[in-house]
Amino acid sequence: MQQRKKLGKILCELGFIGQEELQKALSRQKNTSPHRQIGSILMEMGFLGERQLAQGLAVQFKLPFVDLEKELPVPAVARSLNEAKARQSRALVFDQVERTYKVAVADPTDISLLDNLRGCLGGSVEIFVGVPSEIKRMIDFVYSGKDEEKVIELADQIIHEAIRRKASDIHLEPGIEKLMIRYRVDGVLEKAFSIPKKVHPFLISRLKILAEMDIGEKRRPQDGRVKIERGGEWDLRISTLPAFQGEKMAIRILDRFTIPGLEQLGLGANQEKKLREILNLRDGIFLVVGPTGSGKTTTLFSMLRKLQEKNLNITTAEDPIEYILPAVNQIQVNPKIGLTFSTLLRSILRQDPDVIMLGEIRDEETAGIAINAALTGHLVLSTLHTHDAPSALIRLLEMGIEPYLVSSTVIGIMGQRLVRKLCPDCFHEGEKDRDYLNLGSYWEQMDRVGEKPGCSSCYASGYRGRTAIAEILMPDDNLRELVVKKEPGVSLKKAAAGIMEESLKEAGLNKVERGETSLEEVLRVVPGGG
């Protein structure tokens, strides 16, 4: 049997100690403590750290070293070993892969420990060397019912505070020493607070349990959902991502039953009137365009809510279903079983619908079927990812849709963004800074610019709530003719600009002038043209 390399030599090779320090420790061992391990003596003399000793022992016994500050244990898995045995053996089960338990031990010299653990756990055991103090700290945390109650309370507080702040998302982001909690409020991420990193695995596990996710799986992304009641019913959609410092978690908060009316979107009187005109039509396709998070789905559901009054057969295909609207047939897209937007749309057309809402037009096939549905007597509402309303016409043509079909079916396009509203409790009018940005004629029309000092009501952000800014394009005969001729995009945009009452930026600046938002906010969401 091959003899193990001496620990002192290994520690020197790893660069943890020098030969001089080793000789001093060996001399003390020989003269005063012949039965004590050299590692303990080196630590006592201040030449070696606890972590370095554990790493050296791992090399000596040809075992992997585990850093429990990074490979944090899952409480439910750790409790596979009873507390008394864990404390007696100074061993912590920190992970499980199928029927194999990964166990961190403080003393790898205990040769009987492996068989003992195998009998207690009833499965295969893979031994790792850990830092003794880290193992003890984790054991204290895992088996303390009081600490577990604190984690449950913490998870509840994080969710409750997010709902109180009207956040749309919660982000749990692990760093080197802290776990940062951030909320997305009114479309902007805000740091809420940070907590000690040691709480991270237990908090993540608690939230995974709520969402019925696999708490033992930390190496792959996962998705889950849970419904909660906090002064209303909320749908939490939880996703995890394995990051370098540990699992990152994002929680989307959906209020699926509160759908604003058209008058609550924040549109201008003429824009709201145009939407109502669209809803009085029996066929055609209406598109809401803009980037992710610009409120497109909310606008579509506000329109559907109005259409409900007409006793129509309304069917939707969505991914995901974000709102629940009674008396509307809502279908969840599921590509895994072949339920794509295009396949669902074909089936929906056989159900005698009056109105069809598609969550998004993503490809040529879906666009083609939607256009044909509009052509054959259906009102189709959908979204498209383009920068502005005129670009939607160009995008449909680029998808391969025949120009005459685009021209004859598109009844309207709404480009949309969401801007934060100035907090009514701390808003005050400020002096215009003419050097802030050259806005040409827009600037001369503005009488006031809102400043945002911040207060407790808006958590010092200066903003509270959001409102829509929009441009609505209803093609006229000239624009339709240009589409049929497949004129260049520049020509289409120029013709479209001539018939729109106002662009996105103009709509935003008008809200600045009325004291609803700030110039900085408008330029954040509409930085270029528009």
Side-chain angles (χ1 to χ4, degrees), residues 191-206:
K191 181 179 178 181
F193 52 89
S194 60
I195 56 179
K197 180 69 177 289
K198 68 177 183 179
V199 181
H200 170 242
F202 310 106
L203 180 59
I204 294 292
S205 293
R206 170 60 186 169

Side-chain angles (χ1 to χ4, degrees), residues 206-223:
R206 170 60 186 169
L207 293 166
K208 281 184 175 181
I209 289 169
L210 286 176
E212 298 183 352
M213 298 161 73
D214 183 358
I215 62 173
E217 179 56 79
K218 297 179 288 186
R219 298 166 297 173
R220 295 186 180 92
Q222 290 190 72
D223 294 290

Side-chain angles (χ1 to χ4, degrees), residues 15-80:
F16 294 157
I17 60 172
Q19 282 294 335
E20 184 179 348
E21 293 166 327
L22 176 59
Q23 290 304 319
K24 288 181 180 178
L26 288 171
S27 176
R28 176 178 291 191
Q29 183 187 47
K30 180 180 179 181
N31 295 328
T32 62
S33 309
H35 301 295
R36 287 185 63 195
Q37 294 182 346
I38 190 66
S40 299
I41 295 172
L42 284 164
M43 284 182 59
E44 183 183 89
M45 296 177 73
F47 296 150
L48 188 69
E50 186 184 31
R51 177 177 292 265
Q52 293 173 323
L53 175 56
Q55 290 173 326
L57 288 170
V59 173
Q60 184 183 32
F61 285 85
K62 297 181 180 178
L63 294 170
F65 171 78
V66 60
D67 184 351
L68 291 175
E69 295 291 342
K70 295 180 179 178
E71 287 287 339
L72 296 160
V74 177
V77 173
R79 294 193 194 101
S80 301

Side-chain angles (χ1 to χ4, degrees), residues 18-188:
Q19 282 294 335
E20 184 179 348
E21 293 166 327
L22 176 59
Q23 290 304 319
K24 288 181 180 178
L26 288 171
S27 176
R28 176 178 291 191
Q29 183 187 47
K30 180 180 179 181
N31 295 328
T32 62
S33 309
H35 301 295
R36 287 185 63 195
Q37 294 182 346
I38 190 66
S40 299
I41 295 172
L42 284 164
M43 284 182 59
E44 183 183 89
M45 296 177 73
F47 296 150
L48 188 69
E50 186 184 31
R51 177 177 292 265
Q52 293 173 323
L53 175 56
Q55 290 173 326
L57 288 170
V59 173
Q60 184 183 32
F61 285 85
K62 297 181 180 178
L63 294 170
F65 171 78
V66 60
D67 184 351
L68 291 175
E69 295 291 342
K70 295 180 179 178
E71 287 287 339
L72 296 160
V74 177
V77 173
R79 294 193 194 101
S80 301
L81 187 66
N82 70 66
E83 181 179 1
K85 192 64 183 176
R87 293 191 182 280
Q88 178 189 350
S89 306
R90 292 196 298 163
L92 175 72
V93 181
F94 67 90
D95 200 2
Q96 179 184 1
V97 180
E98 295 178 349
R99 291 295 297 163
T100 299
Y101 295 91
K102 296 184 176 183
V103 184
V105 302
D107 183 12
T109 64
D110 187 349
I111 56 176
S112 65
L113 183 59
L114 180 61
D115 288 335
N116 205 329
L117 289 171
R118 195 181 289 125
C120 292
L121 294 168
S124 300
V125 173
E126 186 178 354
I127 295 293
F128 291 72
V129 180
V131 180
S133 63
E134 290 179 5
I135 291 174
K136 183 181 183 303
R137 186 168 69 251
M138 290 299 174
I139 287 174
D140 290 341
F141 197 98
V142 164
Y143 296 99
S144 171
K146 185 178 178 181
D147 284 335
E148 186 173 3
E149 288 175 10
K150 288 181 179 178
V151 169
I152 293 172
E153 184 180 346
L154 176 61
D156 190 66
Q157 287 176 346
I158 289 171
I159 294 169
H160 179 78
E161 178 65 12
I163 291 172
R164 193 170 74 86
R165 292 195 187 193
K166 295 184 170 64
S168 61
D169 301 85
I170 306 170
H171 290 262
L172 287 76
E173 301 169 333
I176 297 174
E177 297 179 349
K178 300 283 187 179
L179 174 66
M180 183 185 295
I181 312 296
R182 295 202 290 174
Y183 296 138
R184 188 175 295 280
V185 180
D186 296 332
V188 177

